[in-house]
Amino acid sequence: MQNILFIIHSSPYGDEHFFSALRLALQLQEQHKSAVNLRLFLMSDAVTGGLAKQNPSEGYHLQQMLEILTAQGATVKLCKTCTNARGITESALAEGVEIGTLVELADWTMEADKVLNF
């Protein structure tokens, strides 16, 4: 089993970095279901991608993608410091998404076989 950590910094809808990260995570989960343990840690403006009640007018829907990942066993956490800075720590989160800490990210990094940054 490979532990793969995604660290996502990019804003959810400003460019396609966030979307590309989720596409790869979904493909890894689909293609290598029993061989990977996926963890995603959202930082900076990426934390807004973990909020509930997203309603994009067109294109991809990141909340749905995150919910698919968590339903299939991936762990998704938002940086608490980043959510605090943006005033969204108490906001409703997408299904399966949680608030995390830098301590957890440090542990996940040490446990990871691969770390991918987006």
Side-chain angles (χ1 to χ4, degrees), residues 32-76:
H32 302 285
K33 191 180 304 186
S34 61
V36 296
N37 175 37
L38 295 181
R39 292 175 170 168
L40 291 82
F41 199 88
L42 282 55
M43 301 183 82
S44 306
D45 286 340
V47 295
T48 60
L51 297 176
K53 302 179 184 175
Q54 292 181 38
N55 190 21
S57 59
E58 58 185 59
Y60 47 87
H61 196 298
L62 299 175
Q63 178 185 341
Q64 287 178 342
M65 294 173 81
L66 286 171
E67 290 174 346
I68 291 167
L69 283 164
T70 60
Q72 294 177 348
T75 304
V76 178

